[in-house]
Amino acid sequence: DLMVRHLKALKAGVPIQCPVYSYTDHNRTDQTIEIRPTSVVIVEGLLIFQNPELRDLMDIKVYVDTDADIRLARRILRDVCERGRTMQSVISQYTTTVKPMHEEFVEPSKKYADVIIPEGGFNSVAVAMLIQNIRSLIEGK
């Protein structure tokens, strides 16, 4: 609900105070970051296509598709190197929570995407097409 309100505000030209998430505590902190409206707002998240009201606020819906083994490898590197977690805790969380939830909620949500970019965003043709589409939207406003 907050993301919907914030996106509506940004589209109306109103700055927002975006909550800061703590990956250590797995929750929002008391801190916020001011985000000012611009001609293009990129909304990123695993479950952003689950909410119909949020989807309806998006001009372009992009799903970046990445193989499961690459997702796991990236998660291990990020969580061990940047977040101080153990390899065991990352793999345990991935197998018990992340992978099943991805298969149940994230993967099926790609049906709502306007564009699906394979190869985890390293598909230069698809990325170039997306950039051109965004430029067209900016020039049209």
mmCIF file of all heavy atoms in Angstrom, residues 92-127:
data_model
loop_
_atom_site.group_PDB
_atom_site.id
_atom_site.type_symbol
_atom_site.label_atom_id
_atom_site.label_comp_id
_atom_site.label_asym_id
_atom_site.label_seq_id
_atom_site.Cartn_x
_atom_site.Cartn_y
_atom_site.Cartn_z
ATOM 1 N N SER A 92 20.496 -22.633 3.330
ATOM 2 C CA SER A 92 19.320 -23.092 4.067
ATOM 3 C C SER A 92 18.111 -22.196 3.780
ATOM 4 O O SER A 92 17.019 -22.690 3.491
ATOM 5 C CB SER A 92 19.621 -23.114 5.566
ATOM 6 O OG SER A 92 18.465 -23.442 6.290
ATOM 7 N N GLN A 93 18.310 -20.895 3.849
ATOM 8 C CA GLN A 93 17.210 -19.963 3.565
ATOM 9 C C GLN A 93 16.743 -20.116 2.122
ATOM 10 O O GLN A 93 15.544 -20.104 1.844
ATOM 11 C CB GLN A 93 17.644 -18.522 3.827
ATOM 12 C CG GLN A 93 16.528 -17.523 3.560
ATOM 13 C CD GLN A 93 17.008 -16.088 3.563
ATOM 14 O OE1 GLN A 93 18.117 -15.786 3.143
ATOM 15 N NE2 GLN A 93 16.156 -15.192 4.050
ATOM 16 N N TYR A 94 17.677 -20.266 1.205
ATOM 17 C CA TYR A 94 17.334 -20.386 -0.211
ATOM 18 C C TYR A 94 16.466 -21.619 -0.466
ATOM 19 O O TYR A 94 15.434 -21.538 -1.132
ATOM 20 C CB TYR A 94 18.597 -20.446 -1.070
ATOM 21 C CG TYR A 94 18.304 -20.503 -2.548
ATOM 22 C CD1 TYR A 94 18.047 -19.343 -3.270
ATOM 23 C CD2 TYR A 94 18.257 -21.723 -3.218
ATOM 24 C CE1 TYR A 94 17.761 -19.391 -4.628
ATOM 25 C CE2 TYR A 94 17.973 -21.780 -4.575
ATOM 26 C CZ TYR A 94 17.723 -20.618 -5.277
ATOM 27 O OH TYR A 94 17.428 -20.680 -6.616
ATOM 28 N N THR A 95 16.880 -22.755 0.075
ATOM 29 C CA THR A 95 16.155 -24.003 -0.211
ATOM 30 C C THR A 95 14.818 -24.091 0.512
ATOM 31 O O THR A 95 13.876 -24.684 -0.018
ATOM 32 C CB THR A 95 17.008 -25.241 0.126
ATOM 33 O OG1 THR A 95 17.415 -25.172 1.487
ATOM 34 C CG2 THR A 95 18.219 -25.330 -0.778
ATOM 35 N N THR A 96 14.729 -23.519 1.712
ATOM 36 C CA THR A 96 13.478 -23.638 2.474
ATOM 37 C C THR A 96 12.478 -22.524 2.189
ATOM 38 O O THR A 96 11.277 -22.738 2.308
ATOM 39 C CB THR A 96 13.751 -23.671 3.988
ATOM 40 O OG1 THR A 96 14.392 -22.455 4.379
ATOM 41 C CG2 THR A 96 14.593 -24.867 4.371
ATOM 42 N N THR A 97 12.966 -21.343 1.796
ATOM 43 C CA THR A 97 12.069 -20.200 1.639
ATOM 44 C C THR A 97 12.148 -19.550 0.264
ATOM 45 O O THR A 97 11.148 -19.430 -0.436
ATOM 46 C CB THR A 97 12.387 -19.120 2.704
ATOM 47 O OG1 THR A 97 12.368 -19.718 3.992
ATOM 48 C CG2 THR A 97 11.382 -18.002 2.669
ATOM 49 N N VAL A 98 13.337 -19.121 -0.123
ATOM 50 C CA VAL A 98 13.497 -18.307 -1.324
ATOM 51 C C VAL A 98 13.065 -19.055 -2.587
ATOM 52 O O VAL A 98 12.240 -18.559 -3.357
ATOM 53 C CB VAL A 98 14.949 -17.788 -1.457
ATOM 54 C CG1 VAL A 98 15.143 -17.043 -2.763
ATOM 55 C CG2 VAL A 98 15.296 -16.906 -0.270
ATOM 56 N N LYS A 99 13.600 -20.238 -2.807
ATOM 57 C CA LYS A 99 13.290 -20.989 -4.028
ATOM 58 C C LYS A 99 11.805 -21.368 -4.106
ATOM 59 O O LYS A 99 11.165 -21.126 -5.133
ATOM 60 C CB LYS A 99 14.181 -22.233 -4.141
ATOM 61 C CG LYS A 99 14.031 -22.973 -5.459
ATOM 62 C CD LYS A 99 15.036 -24.122 -5.545
ATOM 63 C CE LYS A 99 15.019 -24.785 -6.895
ATOM 64 N NZ LYS A 99 13.880 -25.669 -7.087
ATOM 65 N N PRO A 100 11.218 -21.945 -3.035
ATOM 66 C CA PRO A 100 9.786 -22.258 -3.123
ATOM 67 C C PRO A 100 8.901 -21.027 -3.339
ATOM 68 O O PRO A 100 7.936 -21.078 -4.099
ATOM 69 C CB PRO A 100 9.466 -22.917 -1.770
ATOM 70 C CG PRO A 100 10.772 -23.365 -1.220
ATOM 71 C CD PRO A 100 11.814 -22.453 -1.779
ATOM 72 N N MET A 101 9.240 -19.914 -2.696
ATOM 73 C CA MET A 101 8.437 -18.696 -2.862
ATOM 74 C C MET A 101 8.612 -18.111 -4.259
ATOM 75 O O MET A 101 7.672 -17.579 -4.847
ATOM 76 C CB MET A 101 8.793 -17.653 -1.806
ATOM 77 C CG MET A 101 8.427 -18.054 -0.374
ATOM 78 S SD MET A 101 6.654 -18.361 -0.138
ATOM 79 C CE MET A 101 6.633 -20.139 -0.029
ATOM 80 N N HIS A 102 9.829 -18.229 -4.795
ATOM 81 C CA HIS A 102 10.061 -17.772 -6.173
ATOM 82 C C HIS A 102 9.174 -18.563 -7.133
ATOM 83 O O HIS A 102 8.519 -17.979 -8.001
ATOM 84 C CB HIS A 102 11.538 -17.938 -6.562
ATOM 85 C CG HIS A 102 11.800 -17.581 -7.990
ATOM 86 N ND1 HIS A 102 12.059 -16.295 -8.395
ATOM 87 C CD2 HIS A 102 11.796 -18.344 -9.114
ATOM 88 C CE1 HIS A 102 12.210 -16.283 -9.704
ATOM 89 N NE2 HIS A 102 12.065 -17.513 -10.158
ATOM 90 N N GLU A 103 9.165 -19.873 -6.952
ATOM 91 C CA GLU A 103 8.387 -20.726 -7.848
ATOM 92 C C GLU A 103 6.884 -20.493 -7.705
ATOM 93 O O GLU A 103 6.142 -20.565 -8.690
ATOM 94 C CB GLU A 103 8.724 -22.197 -7.597
ATOM 95 C CG GLU A 103 10.143 -22.535 -8.048
ATOM 96 C CD GLU A 103 10.635 -23.888 -7.569
ATOM 97 O OE1 GLU A 103 9.957 -24.524 -6.719
ATOM 98 O OE2 GLU A 103 11.709 -24.318 -8.045
ATOM 99 N N GLU A 104 6.434 -20.181 -6.492
ATOM 100 C CA GLU A 104 5.004 -19.989 -6.261
ATOM 101 C C GLU A 104 4.509 -18.596 -6.638
ATOM 102 O O GLU A 104 3.392 -18.449 -7.144
ATOM 103 C CB GLU A 104 4.672 -20.260 -4.788
ATOM 104 C CG GLU A 104 3.183 -20.202 -4.499
ATOM 105 C CD GLU A 104 2.829 -20.625 -3.084
ATOM 106 O OE1 GLU A 104 3.699 -21.173 -2.366
ATOM 107 O OE2 GLU A 104 1.675 -20.405 -2.684
ATOM 108 N N PHE A 105 5.328 -17.560 -6.394
ATOM 109 C CA PHE A 105 4.844 -16.191 -6.573
ATOM 110 C C PHE A 105 5.568 -15.384 -7.652
ATOM 111 O O PHE A 105 4.936 -14.691 -8.435
ATOM 112 C CB PHE A 105 4.931 -15.425 -5.246
ATOM 113 C CG PHE A 105 4.073 -16.002 -4.173
ATOM 114 C CD1 PHE A 105 4.638 -16.710 -3.116
ATOM 115 C CD2 PHE A 105 2.693 -15.874 -4.211
ATOM 116 C CE1 PHE A 105 3.849 -17.258 -2.125
ATOM 117 C CE2 PHE A 105 1.891 -16.429 -3.217
ATOM 118 C CZ PHE A 105 2.472 -17.122 -2.172
ATOM 119 N N VAL A 106 6.890 -15.440 -7.666
ATOM 120 C CA VAL A 106 7.653 -14.580 -8.567
ATOM 121 C C VAL A 106 7.572 -15.071 -10.011
ATOM 122 O O VAL A 106 7.208 -14.315 -10.914
ATOM 123 C CB VAL A 106 9.124 -14.443 -8.113
ATOM 124 C CG1 VAL A 106 9.900 -13.558 -9.066
ATOM 125 C CG2 VAL A 106 9.190 -13.887 -6.694
ATOM 126 N N GLU A 107 7.923 -16.319 -10.224
ATOM 127 C CA GLU A 107 7.922 -16.873 -11.588
ATOM 128 C C GLU A 107 6.571 -16.710 -12.282
ATOM 129 O O GLU A 107 6.522 -16.247 -13.425
ATOM 130 C CB GLU A 107 8.353 -18.343 -11.545
ATOM 131 C CG GLU A 107 8.451 -19.007 -12.893
ATOM 132 C CD GLU A 107 9.652 -18.565 -13.714
ATOM 133 O OE1 GLU A 107 10.640 -18.074 -13.148
ATOM 134 O OE2 GLU A 107 9.586 -18.715 -14.946
ATOM 135 N N PRO A 108 5.453 -17.044 -11.636
ATOM 136 C CA PRO A 108 4.163 -16.876 -12.313
ATOM 137 C C PRO A 108 3.808 -15.415 -12.613
ATOM 138 O O PRO A 108 3.013 -15.144 -13.509
ATOM 139 C CB PRO A 108 3.145 -17.475 -11.330
ATOM 140 C CG PRO A 108 3.934 -18.356 -10.434
ATOM 141 C CD PRO A 108 5.298 -17.751 -10.352
ATOM 142 N N SER A 109 4.410 -14.482 -11.886
ATOM 143 C CA SER A 109 4.061 -13.072 -12.091
ATOM 144 C C SER A 109 4.592 -12.519 -13.402
ATOM 145 O O SER A 109 4.161 -11.455 -13.849
ATOM 146 C CB SER A 109 4.563 -12.211 -10.918
ATOM 147 O OG SER A 109 5.956 -11.985 -11.007
ATOM 148 N N LYS A 110 5.491 -13.232 -14.054
ATOM 149 C CA LYS A 110 6.029 -12.713 -15.310
ATOM 150 C C LYS A 110 4.972 -12.642 -16.403
ATOM 151 O O LYS A 110 5.148 -11.942 -17.386
ATOM 152 C CB LYS A 110 7.273 -13.475 -15.753
ATOM 153 C CG LYS A 110 7.088 -14.846 -16.301
ATOM 154 C CD LYS A 110 8.463 -15.395 -16.692
ATOM 155 C CE LYS A 110 8.420 -16.819 -17.128
ATOM 156 N NZ LYS A 110 9.759 -17.327 -17.418
ATOM 157 N N LYS A 111 3.846 -13.295 -16.198
ATOM 158 C CA LYS A 111 2.751 -13.203 -17.176
ATOM 159 C C LYS A 111 2.208 -11.778 -17.279
ATOM 160 O O LYS A 111 1.570 -11.421 -18.261
ATOM 161 C CB LYS A 111 1.627 -14.181 -16.836
ATOM 162 C CG LYS A 111 0.859 -13.843 -15.566
ATOM 163 C CD LYS A 111 -0.171 -14.899 -15.254
ATOM 164 C CE LYS A 111 -0.849 -14.599 -13.926
ATOM 165 N NZ LYS A 111 -1.619 -15.743 -13.458
ATOM 166 N N TYR A 112 2.469 -10.950 -16.263
ATOM 167 C CA TYR A 112 2.005 -9.566 -16.272
ATOM 168 C C TYR A 112 2.998 -8.624 -16.956
ATOM 169 O O TYR A 112 2.701 -7.446 -17.159
ATOM 170 C CB TYR A 112 1.755 -9.071 -14.849
ATOM 171 C CG TYR A 112 0.695 -9.862 -14.127
ATOM 172 C CD1 TYR A 112 1.026 -10.638 -13.023
ATOM 173 C CD2 TYR A 112 -0.636 -9.853 -14.546
ATOM 174 C CE1 TYR A 112 0.060 -11.377 -12.348
ATOM 175 C CE2 TYR A 112 -1.605 -10.584 -13.882
ATOM 176 C CZ TYR A 112 -1.246 -11.342 -12.790
ATOM 177 O OH TYR A 112 -2.204 -12.064 -12.130
ATOM 178 N N ALA A 113 4.172 -9.115 -17.290
ATOM 179 C CA ALA A 113 5.219 -8.270 -17.868
ATOM 180 C C ALA A 113 4.898 -7.915 -19.315
ATOM 181 O O ALA A 113 4.331 -8.721 -20.055
ATOM 182 C CB ALA A 113 6.566 -8.971 -17.784
ATOM 183 N N ASP A 114 5.279 -6.701 -19.692
ATOM 184 C CA ASP A 114 5.211 -6.293 -21.092
ATOM 185 C C ASP A 114 6.426 -6.827 -21.848
ATOM 186 O O ASP A 114 6.347 -7.127 -23.032
ATOM 187 C CB ASP A 114 5.186 -4.762 -21.204
ATOM 188 C CG ASP A 114 4.002 -4.162 -20.480
ATOM 189 O OD1 ASP A 114 2.868 -4.648 -20.663
ATOM 190 O OD2 ASP A 114 4.204 -3.196 -19.715
ATOM 191 N N VAL A 115 7.539 -6.907 -21.128
ATOM 192 C CA VAL A 115 8.801 -7.346 -21.710
ATOM 193 C C VAL A 115 9.453 -8.328 -20.748
ATOM 194 O O VAL A 115 9.511 -8.065 -19.544
ATOM 195 C CB VAL A 115 9.765 -6.147 -21.924
ATOM 196 C CG1 VAL A 115 11.104 -6.605 -22.464
ATOM 197 C CG2 VAL A 115 9.145 -5.096 -22.825
ATOM 198 N N ILE A 116 9.937 -9.433 -21.279
ATOM 199 C CA ILE A 116 10.709 -10.385 -20.481
ATOM 200 C C ILE A 116 12.123 -10.396 -21.057
ATOM 201 O O ILE A 116 12.311 -10.682 -22.239
ATOM 202 C CB ILE A 116 10.092 -11.797 -20.513
ATOM 203 C CG1 ILE A 116 8.682 -11.771 -19.910
ATOM 204 C CG2 ILE A 116 10.992 -12.789 -19.772
ATOM 205 C CD1 ILE A 116 7.906 -13.066 -20.068
ATOM 206 N N ILE A 117 13.085 -10.046 -20.213
ATOM 207 C CA ILE A 117 14.476 -10.016 -20.652
ATOM 208 C C ILE A 117 15.167 -11.275 -20.147
ATOM 209 O O ILE A 117 15.356 -11.437 -18.944
ATOM 210 C CB ILE A 117 15.208 -8.756 -20.146
ATOM 211 C CG1 ILE A 117 14.525 -7.505 -20.701
ATOM 212 C CG2 ILE A 117 16.684 -8.793 -20.540
ATOM 213 C CD1 ILE A 117 15.160 -6.210 -20.274
ATOM 214 N N PRO A 118 15.533 -12.157 -21.063
ATOM 215 C CA PRO A 118 16.240 -13.370 -20.642
ATOM 216 C C PRO A 118 17.707 -13.080 -20.360
ATOM 217 O O PRO A 118 18.203 -12.002 -20.660
ATOM 218 C CB PRO A 118 16.087 -14.292 -21.853
ATOM 219 C CG PRO A 118 15.873 -13.387 -23.008
ATOM 220 C CD PRO A 118 15.242 -12.124 -22.477
ATOM 221 N N GLU A 119 18.368 -14.047 -19.777
ATOM 222 C CA GLU A 119 19.799 -13.983 -19.495
ATOM 223 C C GLU A 119 20.144 -12.947 -18.424
ATOM 224 O O GLU A 119 21.210 -12.340 -18.456
ATOM 225 C CB GLU A 119 20.606 -13.719 -20.773
ATOM 226 C CG GLU A 119 20.408 -14.777 -21.844
ATOM 227 C CD GLU A 119 21.100 -14.424 -23.136
ATOM 228 O OE1 GLU A 119 22.157 -13.772 -23.086
ATOM 229 O OE2 GLU A 119 20.575 -14.804 -24.192
ATOM 230 N N GLY A 120 19.231 -12.737 -17.499
ATOM 231 C CA GLY A 120 19.524 -11.892 -16.347
ATOM 232 C C GLY A 120 19.910 -10.472 -16.650
ATOM 233 O O GLY A 120 20.634 -9.840 -15.916
ATOM 234 N N GLY A 121 19.442 -9.919 -17.726
ATOM 235 C CA GLY A 121 19.760 -8.549 -18.055
ATOM 236 C C GLY A 121 21.006 -8.398 -18.895
ATOM 237 O O GLY A 121 21.375 -7.296 -19.276
ATOM 238 N N PHE A 122 21.697 -9.497 -19.197
ATOM 239 C CA PHE A 122 22.901 -9.433 -20.028
ATOM 240 C C PHE A 122 22.558 -9.619 -21.506
ATOM 241 O O PHE A 122 23.440 -9.832 -22.322
ATOM 242 C CB PHE A 122 23.933 -10.463 -19.575
ATOM 243 C CG PHE A 122 24.526 -10.119 -18.237
ATOM 244 C CD1 PHE A 122 24.137 -10.789 -17.099
ATOM 245 C CD2 PHE A 122 25.460 -9.100 -18.123
ATOM 246 C CE1 PHE A 122 24.665 -10.467 -15.864
ATOM 247 C CE2 PHE A 122 25.996 -8.769 -16.892
ATOM 248 C CZ PHE A 122 25.603 -9.452 -15.754
ATOM 249 N N ASN A 123 21.290 -9.551 -21.827
ATOM 250 C CA ASN A 123 20.835 -9.651 -23.207
ATOM 251 C C ASN A 123 20.864 -8.236 -23.793
ATOM 252 O O ASN A 123 19.953 -7.447 -23.597
ATOM 253 C CB ASN A 123 19.430 -10.242 -23.232
ATOM 254 C CG ASN A 123 18.899 -10.436 -24.620
ATOM 255 O OD1 ASN A 123 19.082 -9.612 -25.495
ATOM 256 N ND2 ASN A 123 18.206 -11.548 -24.809
ATOM 257 N N SER A 124 21.930 -7.916 -24.514
ATOM 258 C CA SER A 124 22.149 -6.534 -24.970
ATOM 259 C C SER A 124 21.075 -6.057 -25.938
ATOM 260 O O SER A 124 20.718 -4.880 -25.929
ATOM 261 C CB SER A 124 23.540 -6.383 -25.585
ATOM 262 O OG SER A 124 23.681 -7.255 -26.683
ATOM 263 N N VAL A 125 20.525 -6.937 -26.749
ATOM 264 C CA VAL A 125 19.477 -6.540 -27.685
ATOM 265 C C VAL A 125 18.223 -6.129 -26.921
ATOM 266 O O VAL A 125 17.621 -5.077 -27.184
ATOM 267 C CB VAL A 125 19.171 -7.680 -28.690
ATOM 268 C CG1 VAL A 125 17.961 -7.341 -29.547
ATOM 269 C CG2 VAL A 125 20.381 -7.960 -29.554
ATOM 270 N N ALA A 126 17.815 -6.943 -25.958
ATOM 271 C CA ALA A 126 16.618 -6.633 -25.165
ATOM 272 C C ALA A 126 16.815 -5.361 -24.354
ATOM 273 O O ALA A 126 15.901 -4.523 -24.267
ATOM 274 C CB ALA A 126 16.281 -7.804 -24.249
ATOM 275 N N VAL A 127 17.978 -5.184 -23.778
ATOM 276 C CA VAL A 127 18.251 -3.984 -22.985
ATOM 277 C C VAL A 127 18.231 -2.739 -23.879
ATOM 278 O O VAL A 127 17.659 -1.703 -23.512
ATOM 279 C CB VAL A 127 19.587 -4.115 -22.218
ATOM 280 C CG1 VAL A 127 19.966 -2.798 -21.557
ATOM 281 C CG2 VAL A 127 19.486 -5.221 -21.174
#
